[in-house]
Structures are given as C-alpha cells and as structure tokens.
Amino acid sequence: MATLDITQTGRAEAVHRLERNRLLLRRWLQVVIITLFCLVLVGGATRLTDSGLSITEWKPIHGVIPPLSVAEWEEEFQLYQRIPQYTQLNQGMTLDAFKTIFWWEWAHRLLARTIGLVFGLPLLVFWLSGRVERRLRLPLVGLLALGGFQGFVGWWMVSSGLSVRTDVSQYRLATHLTIACLIFSACVWIMRGLTPQRVDAPPTAHSHLAAGGLAFLALFQIYLGALVAGLDAGFSYNTWPLMDGSLIPGDLFLRQPWWINLFENPKTVQFVHRCGAYLLLTLTFVHMIVSIARTPGSTHAKGAMALFGLVCLQACIGIATLLLHVPIELGLLHQGGGLVVLAYAITHWQGFYGEFRRSPAAA
C-alpha cells in the first residue's frame, strides 16, 4: 500500500510539473505570436508608405544601430539616391522625408531581429531545463530555422527593387508574407495544442478536413492579398460589388501566356482576391450551418460561428478599404484582420484534435 501511495504521488507530481511546463510554453508562445503580429503590421505599414527600399544594404548585425550623426544620415541618403525608386519616383526628396521612410524600414528590421531573440533565447532555456517535450523539439527547432531563412527571404525581396524596378517583386513579397504567416500559424497550433480543452464529438466524420481547408484558404487569401499589394492593385477598380462596371470584368486574360495574368495583371489579381473572399465567406457559412445542425451547442459549432463572424467582419473591412482607395489605417486593419481570421481558423481546426497527448516524462 505504501509503495502504491508513493507511485501515485510521483505520478501526480509529474503531471503537475508537465502542466506547469506547458503553461510556461504557452505564455512564451503568446508573446511570440503577439510579436509576429506586430511585425507583420509594421511590414504592411512599410509597404503602404513605400519605405521598404529606404535601407539599401543588408547588415544583420551592424544594421541594428541607426544613423547617429548628420554625416551618417547623408551617407544613407546617398545610397538611397542611387536606386531607381529615388531617380524615377522620388527625385528631389528632402533628407527629412527620407528619414520618415527610413525609420519604418528600420523598425521592421529591428522587430524581425527581436523576434529571433524572443523565440530563440527562451527556447534554449526551456530546452536546457527539460521543459520542452520530445514531440515539440523538432517542430520548434524547425520554426527557429525557418525564421532564420525568413531573414534571407526578406533581403531577397528587398534586393529585387534596388537595380531595375522601383518597387519589390510581388512574387517575393508574397513569398515573404506567406512564410511569416506559416510561422505564425505553427505557433498558434502548438500553443493551442498545449492548452487544456474539451473535445466534443465532431459534427461529421470530415469536419476536421473542412476546418483544415478553411485554414488553408485563409492563408491563401493572405497570399493573394500580398500579390494585390505588390502590384498596387488595390488603388484601381475601387468599386464594389461591380468591378470595372461589371460583376466579371473583361480583359482578365489579356496577357500571354494566360496564366501570367494571375500574377502580373493587376485587374486579374484583384478579381481573384475578390473571388477568394467570396469563396471563403461561402464555405465558412456552410461549415457553420452544418456544425450547428449536427452538434448544436458544441465547441465546434461555437467555433464555426465565431469564424464566420470574423470572416464577415474582415470582408466588410476589405470592401471599405477598397472603396476608400486604401487609406493606411484601413489597409493595416485589413491586414491585421487577415491574421486574426487565420489565427482563429487554425485554432478552430486544432480543436478537432484536442490537447497534445500527455506524457509526464518531458525529457
């Protein structure tokens, strides 16, 4: 009997230790997610203010320190004056005006460096202190590596606008934002998996697949939005529900080969983004109706309702942003709304799988 009591006490202590470790990891991931959210918004502001090419050199370490003297500011400004964006678009810009766009890009890069520390240092401490469960080690290290690769992708994007173009490549911009959203989504998934939760019976045998599909579509919409931003397509055809005078505008496939229009024709890119929004809205509505009809009052039904509400709100913000010719405030609100929809779609999807299996042995 005494041996049994000792065994039960040991198991209780192990479970308590596991719960405490998971709580610490959740709090850490929450900070990472918030920092990532801010990073993406600052990146959006950098894009909307045409500030992304103001720093023309990649200095991963030295670049943390901004210009501190008039001579250093003049040197940075002279480097900017050599690129096409200045010679073709901003000829005659004053030093004070340059400082404004410089600070946006510097803040974006500083936040990107900060997220590396916010993620990497706590991960190292948690790992060395035995708080990271085996099943999480490879995913978390993979995310750290992907974050490092993202820094390279960011410079690859910026470099596309330094010699021939007056802005960055929409392909590289979309790649950069999509990788950021993948890191963001993975952090949300892991944090949700570390959270105690009730798992109700799914509405259908395929509801988890439907939820996963919605999460993927939310991510794809962000990718399409990046193409729209990269082509400045949101500044044209600022009417709704009609576009260029009709529901389905003409000249969508004017260029050859036809598929290039999906990436380089501003009208086609904006139209596809609109269609993606309609599709996401329709599918979240159907998912909600099925969930309510099959399992009323369940966590899945409530989650489906919340997701549909968020998509509706995001659609309204998108329409207002378009009609008002993309003011920076609404543009950032729309980008932030896309991240919120994505985060909730990931959370809703993970809810079908529940909390990660508990194993008291964390090491």
Side-chain angles (χ1 to χ4, degrees):
M1 182 65 71
T3 302
L4 181 60
D5 290 340
I6 293 173
T7 302
Q8 291 177 341
T9 300
R11 288 178 179 175
E13 290 177 353
V15 170
H16 177 70
R17 183 170 60 253
L18 178 65
E19 291 176 347
R20 186 177 64 250
N21 290 342
R22 287 191 168 190
L23 177 61
L24 287 172
L25 291 176
R26 290 201 305 273
R27 295 290 181 263
W28 162 56
L29 288 173
Q30 286 169 357
V31 173
V32 171
I33 290 167
I34 292 171
T35 308
L36 283 169
F37 185 86
C38 294
L39 177 61
V40 173
L41 285 191
V42 172
T46 301
R47 173 62 191 170
L48 288 170
T49 56
D50 293 322
S51 304
L53 298 178
S54 58
I55 302 178
T56 60
E57 296 180 337
W58 190 31
K59 301 175 181 177
I61 306 300
H62 180 64
V64 174
I65 304 174
L68 299 176
S69 66
V70 174
E72 290 178 349
W73 275 113
E74 289 287 354
E75 181 182 353
E76 285 288 346
F77 192 25
Q78 289 172 8
L79 290 173
Y80 177 69
Q81 289 173 328
R82 298 174 185 173
I83 69 173
Q85 186 181 79
Y86 176 83
T87 57
Q88 298 180 32
L89 300 179
N90 293 330
Q91 188 76 248
M93 171 184 276
T94 65
L95 179 59
D96 286 339
F98 169 73
K99 288 180 180 180
T100 299
I101 63 173
F102 177 93
W103 283 122
W104 274 117
E105 175 64 6
W106 181 83
H108 183 55
R109 296 192 186 193
L110 180 65
L111 262 178
R113 294 179 174 98
T114 301
I115 193 65
L117 297 177
V118 169
F119 192 95
L121 290 182
L123 176 59
L124 179 62
V125 172
F126 291 144
W127 188 303
L128 294 178
S129 60
R131 289 183 168 88
V132 181
E133 301 165 44
R134 281 196 177 94
R135 64 174 297 152
L136 297 178
R137 290 178 178 178
L138 184 59
L140 291 174
V141 170
L143 284 177
L144 182 62
L146 186 59
F149 177 69
Q150 173 73 330
F152 167 77
V153 172
W155 174 247
W156 176 65
M157 175 189 69
V158 170
S159 65
S160 67
L162 297 180
S163 57
V164 178
R165 301 171 59 105
T166 59
D167 56 3
V168 301
S169 162
Q170 73 273 22
Y171 296 103
R172 300 187 186 188
L173 174 65
T175 301
H176 188 52
L177 180 57
T178 301
I179 293 175
C181 289
L182 286 173
I183 296 172
F184 178 81
S185 300
C187 289
V188 171
W189 179 278
I190 294 172
M191 185 190 71
R192 173 68 166 165
L194 292 171
T195 305
Q197 52 188 289
R198 189 183 81 188
V199 180
D200 294 332
T204 72
H206 303 292
S207 290
H208 65 292
L209 297 177
L214 292 175
F216 172 80
L217 187 55
L219 176 63
F220 187 61
Q221 266 298 93
I222 293 176
Y223 170 80
L224 293 175
L227 292 179
V228 170
L231 292 170
D232 289 328
F235 293 97
S236 56
Y237 310 106
N238 299 96
T239 59
W240 187 86
L242 300 182
M243 181 178 176
D244 199 19
S246 61
L247 288 175
I248 303 178
D251 298 331
L252 291 176
F253 297 99
L254 188 64
R255 303 183 184 183
Q256 295 298 327
W258 67 268
W259 55 265
I260 204 70
N261 293 275
L262 299 173
F263 303 97
E264 298 185 6
N265 184 338
K267 177 186 282 189
T268 309
V269 170
Q270 189 193 127
F271 181 71
V272 172
H273 187 51
R274 291 189 185 203
C275 290
Y278 299 146
L279 179 61
L280 181 59
L281 187 65
T282 301
L283 293 181
T284 52
F285 177 74
V286 172
H287 180 64
M288 177 186 69
I289 294 301
V290 172
S291 299
I292 294 174
R294 297 291 184 88
T295 55
S298 69
T299 55
H300 304 309
K302 293 176 182 177
M305 292 171 62
L307 180 59
F308 176 68
L310 287 172
V311 172
C312 287
L313 179 60
Q314 173 69 348
C316 292
I317 296 171
I319 292 169
T321 303
L322 180 70
L323 295 179
L324 295 175
H325 294 258
V326 198
I328 185 170
E329 299 83 4
L330 279 179
L332 292 179
L333 183 61
H334 187 51
Q335 184 161 326
L339 284 177
V340 172
V341 169
L342 176 62
Y344 199 86
I346 294 293
T347 299
H348 177 61
W349 180 24
Q350 205 284 328
F352 286 93
Y353 298 90
E355 183 181 1
F356 294 148
R357 184 176 60 83
R358 289 170 171 265
S359 174

